[in-house]
Amino acid sequence: MANDVFRAIDAVLVLGVEDTSTPEGQAADAMVSQYDLSNVVGRLTNVAISVTSDVQPFYEIGSRYPTHLRPGVVRVTGTAERAHVNGALVRLMLGEGATSPPSGPSFVQPSFNLISTLRDPNHPTQSTKVTLFGVKFDSWAYAIPSDSFVMESVGFQAMRVAYEET
């Protein structure tokens, strides 16, 4: 199983409109058009992005070693120590899903594109961008210690990842 982890000090969130024929795409497209939200709508700090691929070996009958490796499921997941997202915007995007319990059986969950920039202090003119498409938050946790600051943590999953060096 291959495993790559990218670390960035911070990343930005923009609304993701992957497919305007889906309910999620229609909701995001309506929000982008109505409120001109083509720019950053949130920031993440201390981001860790993990790309995992379950490679499966294929063995022929009678062979001791695999004859070739087949690609398996690719998972793009990650965490962020802190998320600064416009809460009113997320509530507006969730629509009926923001109320508890929701009035309908299903509701649209917002998706974002996460853009993290990796920089090397030794080469200030060079940077690398890792872009995650179709990011959805799947967990949000608050840690409330008795003698320190309140901290939050976010877990997310993404549809696909792009890597670009400049």
Side-chain angles (χ1 to χ4, degrees):
M1 177 157 64
N3 210 1
D4 294 325
V5 176
F6 305 100
R7 290 201 176 272
I9 294 174
D10 60 356
V12 295
L13 291 173
V14 294
L15 286 179
V17 182
E18 292 292 320
D19 185 7
T20 56
S21 64
T22 63
E24 294 169 342
Q26 290 171 357
D29 190 38
M31 292 294 296
V32 169
S33 301
Q34 185 175 359
Y35 296 104
D36 191 27
L37 296 173
S38 57
N39 294 332
V40 175
V41 295
R43 295 194 179 279
L44 302 175
T45 58
N46 291 335
V47 177
I49 301 166
S50 177
V51 181
T52 306
S53 175
D54 292 332
V55 177
Q56 302 293 324
F58 176 76
Y59 293 90
E60 289 183 353
I61 296 175
S63 66
R64 185 174 187 172
Y65 299 103
T67 55
H68 56 278
L69 300 175
R70 294 192 175 172
V73 177
V74 176
R75 289 181 200 87
V76 182
T77 60
T79 59
E81 183 178 293
R82 197 136 214 204
H84 306 275
V85 183
N86 184 341
L89 173 68
V90 174
R91 187 179 191 325
L92 187 60
M93 287 178 61
L94 284 171
E96 296 175 3
T99 60
S100 182
S103 60
S106 62
F107 56 90
V108 176
Q109 181 182 5
S111 65
F112 302 95
N113 292 339
L114 188 146
I115 304 166
S116 60
T117 305
L118 309 174
R119 289 195 176 90
D120 183 0
N122 295 328
H123 304 285
T125 59
Q126 297 176 352
S127 65
T128 301
K129 286 190 178 188
V130 178
T131 305
L132 303 181
F133 298 97
V135 171
K136 291 189 177 189
F137 296 136
D138 66 357
S139 64
W140 196 292
Y142 284 99
I144 305 174
S146 61
D147 59 350
S148 187
F149 295 103
V150 174
M151 293 299 293
E152 58 187 310
S153 175
V154 175
F156 56 85
Q157 294 188 15
M159 296 289 289
R160 56 194 165 96
V161 64
Y163 181 78
E164 172 188 340
E165 289 190 24
T166 57

